[in-house]
Amino acid sequence: MKRIVLATATLLLAASCWSSAQAQTKLPPRRTVAPKAKATAPKGVTMKEGFTVKEGKVLVTRNGLTSTVAQPEKLVNGTTIKSDGTVILRDSTHVMMKEGDELSLSGRLTTKAMQAEQDSLMNVVKENTKMKLKSKRKGR
């Protein structure tokens, strides 16, 4: 019986010494990694993903990198865009992109007029919420 207790105590003591020896091993030094350079677009070019017409050129932005369109590209919904700004929709309708128009990578065309209308609608909503807040405060 004494031998079992002595053997168990010896094993526990040996295990604790072994685990403390393991904890003191030195880790290798960390390597320093240089930060990655951020993707920047030319001045005046949007970083929004998709196609746009700037200064008469059709530009495509993918993963933050902007380049010109050199050859026709087919999008996921069947829309094709050519380097001269011609967009051929799924139903074979031809549309010519103008300055400031945008075409998403999924094939959704947004004209400059549509963007202006959307901005004005957002401004109206913003003004209405301000008016409501002012009227609620006066009613207190």
Side-chain angles (χ1 to χ4, degrees), residues 11 16 25 33 36 45 49 51 63 67 74 82 90 92:
L11 284 175
S16 66
T25 57
V33 179
K36 292 183 180 179
V45 176
E49 299 278 311
F51 299 87
N63 301 324
S67 62
K74 193 162 190 166
K82 296 182 179 180
R90 281 183 285 176
S92 300

Side-chain angles (χ1 to χ4, degrees), residues 2-138:
K2 285 184 181 181
R3 285 187 180 174
I4 294 175
V5 172
L6 185 60
T8 306
T10 306
L11 284 175
L12 287 175
L13 182 62
S16 66
C17 290
W18 179 77
S19 65
S20 66
Q22 290 295 322
Q24 294 182 6
T25 57
K26 194 170 187 178
L27 296 174
R30 289 186 176 195
R31 292 184 319 173
T32 57
V33 179
K36 292 183 180 179
K38 292 184 179 179
T40 58
K43 187 175 181 180
V45 176
T46 180
M47 293 291 285
K48 189 173 181 180
E49 299 278 311
F51 299 87
T52 187
V53 178
K54 293 283 183 184
E55 300 171 4
K57 295 179 183 177
V58 180
L59 302 174
V60 60
T61 303
R62 284 194 181 101
N63 301 324
L65 300 174
T66 303
S67 62
T68 58
V69 176
Q71 57 190 15
E73 293 192 34
K74 193 162 190 166
L75 305 177
V76 293
N77 71 343
T79 301
T80 305
I81 183 166
K82 296 182 179 180
S83 60
D84 63 349
T86 305
V87 178
I88 304 170
L89 302 174
R90 281 183 285 176
D91 59 356
S92 300
T93 306
H94 288 62
V95 178
M96 188 68 176
M97 288 181 71
K98 297 176 186 155
E99 188 75 21
D101 291 352
E102 295 177 353
L103 180 68
S104 70
L105 294 176
S106 62
R108 182 176 181 202
L109 182 64
T110 307
T111 63
K112 192 78 169 176
M114 292 168 70
Q115 292 173 4
E117 181 182 347
Q118 188 66 29
D119 287 345
S120 64
L121 290 173
M122 290 173 77
N123 287 337
V124 167
V125 169
K126 197 182 295 183
E127 289 297 319
N128 284 342
T129 56
K130 285 181 182 177
M131 297 298 271
K132 287 178 184 176
L133 289 174
K134 286 181 181 178
S135 63
K136 285 182 181 179
R137 289 180 184 163
K138 287 181 180 178

